[in-house]
Amino acid sequence: MDMYQEIILDHSKNPQNAGLREPFEAEVHHVNTSCGDEVTVRVHVDLSTTPPTIADVSYDAMGCSISTASTSVMTEETIGHDADEVAGTLAEMKKMLTSRGQHAGDEELIGDGVAFAGVSQYPARVKCALLGWTALTDALARTGVDITNGENA
């Protein structure tokens, strides 16, 4: 448990891929209305590959350590991966975070995302942990890439 807390603290204090970058095909801004956390996510997608590859994800976040750290982990687990892999990562994160502690998460699929398994026991914090992931899903959809069901344009 201490190792997981360290991962969350490290990603919160040293967020990876923070700062909005160019080029990008889509940008979205999401707000967690229950706590005020905010994130703006930009995605750069290589649509010439099949399935499309997430070439870059950058963001600007303001919020709690859980939302900031989870968004940082999200970038590490998506940049350079194809849309089908990212769809599997998203599905595993959602499964773990909504399990109320019944699913520890598959480290092979979500990497450092397993550090957020304990969040699932606090339903009010699940939205914090999913904020960046939800924004990524929305941004990708604006490029024609759907990671919610594995079908990509």
Side-chain angles (χ1 to χ4, degrees):
M1 188 58 95
D2 288 340
M3 180 182 76
Y4 291 155
Q5 289 174 339
E6 286 180 35
I7 290 171
I8 292 171
L9 285 174
D10 184 48
H11 276 280
S12 177
K13 291 179 182 178
N14 305 297
Q16 302 300 299
N17 301 296
L20 298 172
R21 293 188 294 271
E22 294 186 15
F24 64 97
E25 285 73 43
E27 175 181 296
V28 299
H29 181 78
H30 281 215
V31 177
N32 180 347
T33 56
S34 60
C35 69
D37 291 353
E38 297 184 36
V39 67
T40 300
V41 171
R42 286 183 176 174
V43 295
H44 176 45
V45 182
D46 182 354
L47 296 170
S48 70
T49 62
T50 304
T53 300
I54 312 319
D56 191 31
V57 180
S58 62
Y59 66 95
D60 183 36
M62 183 180 72
C64 70
S65 60
I66 299 252
S67 68
T68 302
S70 184
T71 301
S72 174
V73 168
M74 176 270 296
T75 66
E76 288 193 326
E77 297 303 323
T78 57
I79 294 173
H81 295 268
D82 70 48
D84 291 343
E85 293 170 321
V86 173
T89 302
L90 171 66
E92 183 66 11
M93 280 295 291
K94 281 185 174 180
K95 180 179 178 181
M96 178 189 71
L97 287 168
T98 59
S99 75
R100 295 190 182 251
Q102 300 303 305
H103 182 64
D106 183 344
E107 190 172 1
E108 291 292 317
L109 291 174
I110 60 176
D112 281 352
V114 297
F116 298 89
V119 172
S120 71
Q121 296 178 35
Y122 304 95
R125 302 309 302 266
V126 170
K127 282 185 178 181
C128 298
L130 285 175
L131 183 63
W133 294 88
T134 304
L136 173 71
T137 302
D138 186 16
L140 287 172
R142 291 176 187 215
T143 71
V145 177
D146 182 357
I147 61 169
T148 60
N149 64 13
E151 295 177 19
N152 298 297

